[in-house]
């Protein structure tokens, strides 16, 4: 599986605090079936002042440590990019890294306040050739009053990333409710761990993939955990699923339990 959202790099944000912990996170990810992981520390002006150069350097250090430890996890450069009005400029200057130098980047709004002109910012980013991946809308507290904003961001061309822990209930009932709503409406493009450590918020997508497969069918679970994340890393053009398709109802779901074992056995997950 391919995990495009993780705070595995040591010492750059509120994720891993040491190289030893990062190695342990990588071990857990691999044991769970993750083969590829984007390293996406927060970029938040005034709080987490990361830029492309120090992130690339940290990825190289961790890559070498994983090689030395014999842990087969392929790492990619990225960032968890917090909403700021000058994002288009900082992306263009190369200060903010996209995911593996693709057109895609993680786009994280504030959790508790809907920022003004968010849709305008998304339009400017898309107009500049980038594709924002809206991170875990199901966990934003303002989703309850402003679900229409998420719908419009999706219609504009933002992809949607669900957090693995949300769909298994680890972020509580509201996050679970909106995870299921987004899944049932056919809006979720990818699932990612947003891992921060080895106990709470740890790496791993397998449990979430089972939950998604039970709800949406195994093909869609495969698309969210393997196919689309892989296409993103290769900078292939993707349309948001929520924009492309007429909304699927949960009644049309297929593959409930059936065949998931086959996916795991085939090594696809
Ligand atoms: Fe994150």
């Amino acid at each position: 599986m391919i995990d495009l959202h993780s705070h595995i790099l040591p010492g750059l944000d509120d994720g891993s605090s040491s190289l030893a912990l990062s190695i342990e996170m990588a071990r857990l990810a691999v044991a769970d079936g993750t083969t590829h992981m984007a390293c996406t520390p927060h970029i938040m002006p005034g709080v987490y002042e990361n830029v492309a150069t120090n992130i690339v350097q940290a990825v190289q250090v961790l890559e070498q440590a994983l090689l030395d430890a014999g842990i087969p996890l392929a790492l990619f450069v990225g960032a968890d990019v917090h909403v700021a009005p000058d994002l288009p400029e900082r992306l263009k200057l190369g200060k903010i890294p996209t995911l593996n130098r693709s057109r895609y980047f993680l786009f994280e709004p504030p959790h508790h306040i809907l920022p003004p002109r968010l849709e305008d910012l998304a339009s400017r980013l898309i107009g500049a050739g980038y594709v924002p991946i809206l991170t875990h809308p199901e966990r934003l507290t303002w989703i309850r009053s402003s679900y229409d904003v998420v719908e419009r961001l999706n219609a504009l061309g933002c992809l949607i990333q669900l957090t693995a822990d949300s769909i298994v209930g680890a972020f509580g009932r509201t996050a679970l409710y909106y995870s299921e709503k987004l899944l049932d409406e056919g809006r979720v493009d990818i699932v990612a761990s947003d891992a921060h450590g080895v106990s709470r918020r740890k790496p791993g997508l397998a449990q979430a993939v089972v939950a998604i497969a039970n709800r949406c069918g195994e093909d869609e679970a495969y698309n969210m955990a393997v196919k689309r994340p892989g296409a993103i890393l290769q900078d292939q053009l993707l349309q948001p699923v929520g924009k492309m398709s007429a909304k699927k109802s949960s009644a049309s779901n297929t593959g409930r339990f059936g065949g998931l074992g086959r996916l795991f056995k085939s090594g696809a997950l």
Side-chain angles (χ1 to χ4, degrees):
M1 292 177 285
I2 302 174
D3 186 354
L4 295 187
H5 188 163
S6 77
H7 299 266
I8 192 171
L9 295 177
L12 298 191
D13 62 9
D14 61 341
S16 171
S17 55
S18 68
L19 187 58
L21 190 68
S22 301
I23 292 169
E24 208 41 50
M25 287 173 74
R27 246 189 254 285
L28 284 181
V30 169
D32 190 75
T34 299
T35 52
H36 301 66
M37 179 177 277
C39 306
T40 59
H42 295 286
I43 292 184
M44 185 191 262
V47 184
Y48 301 113
E49 298 279 5
N50 293 304
V51 289
T53 45
N54 80 299
I55 295 171
V56 168
Q57 210 169 29
V59 169
Q60 288 168 349
V61 170
L62 184 57
E63 262 173 348
Q64 187 57 51
L66 296 187
L67 202 64
D68 295 345
I71 300 170
L73 181 65
L75 302 181
F76 297 86
V77 170
D80 189 358
V81 185
H82 289 254
V83 161
D86 63 347
L87 286 189
E89 293 75 24
R90 283 191 289 142
L91 278 159
K92 199 174 171 197
L93 288 170
K95 290 187 176 170
I96 293 176
T98 58
L99 289 165
N100 197 30
R101 299 186 176 189
S102 68
R103 75 198 76 187
Y104 301 93
F105 73 97
L106 299 184
F107 182 58
E108 175 139 333
H111 278 234
H112 303 301
I113 297 166
L114 172 60
R117 296 183 294 283
L118 183 59
E119 293 162 59
D120 175 56
L121 176 62
S123 293
R124 285 198 289 129
L125 288 160
I126 291 165
Y130 298 102
V131 179
I133 302 176
L134 185 64
T135 58
H136 45 65
E138 80 282 358
R139 285 165 45 204
L140 306 173
T141 55
W142 54 260
I143 196 172
R144 284 173 282 194
S145 56
S146 305
Y147 190 80
D148 55 319
V149 174
V150 174
E151 290 176 316
R152 287 198 296 275
L153 288 170
N154 198 201
L156 278 173
C158 294
L159 302 185
I160 289 187
Q161 176 248 305
L162 192 73
T163 299
D165 275 353
S166 298
I167 190 59
V168 298
F171 276 107
R173 288 172 59 184
T174 306
L176 178 61
Y177 170 82
Y178 283 105
S179 299
E180 293 180 344
K181 180 174 170 64
L182 290 163
L183 285 170
D184 292 349
E185 292 179 359
R187 292 188 181 280
V188 178
D189 295 280
I190 61 168
V191 61
S193 73
D194 196 1
H196 278 66
V198 291
S199 48
R200 223 183 119 265
R201 306 183 71 183
K202 61 186 182 191
L205 303 175
Q207 214 189 333
V209 164
V210 170
I212 293 167
N214 287 343
R215 198 157 188 101
C216 310
E218 68 176 61
D219 287 349
E220 216 17 56
Y222 176 80
N223 288 340
M224 289 178 203
V226 181
K227 192 173 173 188
R228 286 191 207 104
I232 287 166
L233 287 178
Q234 293 176 61
D235 197 27
Q236 293 170 10
L237 183 61
L238 288 177
Q239 284 287 327
V241 285
K243 190 177 176 185
M244 275 194 315
S245 55
K247 305 296 164 276
K248 298 170 200 161
S249 75
S250 56
S252 69
N253 293 339
T254 55
R256 192 175 176 81
F257 297 106
L260 192 66
R262 179 174 59 75
L263 262 182
F264 278 98
K265 276 182 201 143
S266 72
L269 293 179

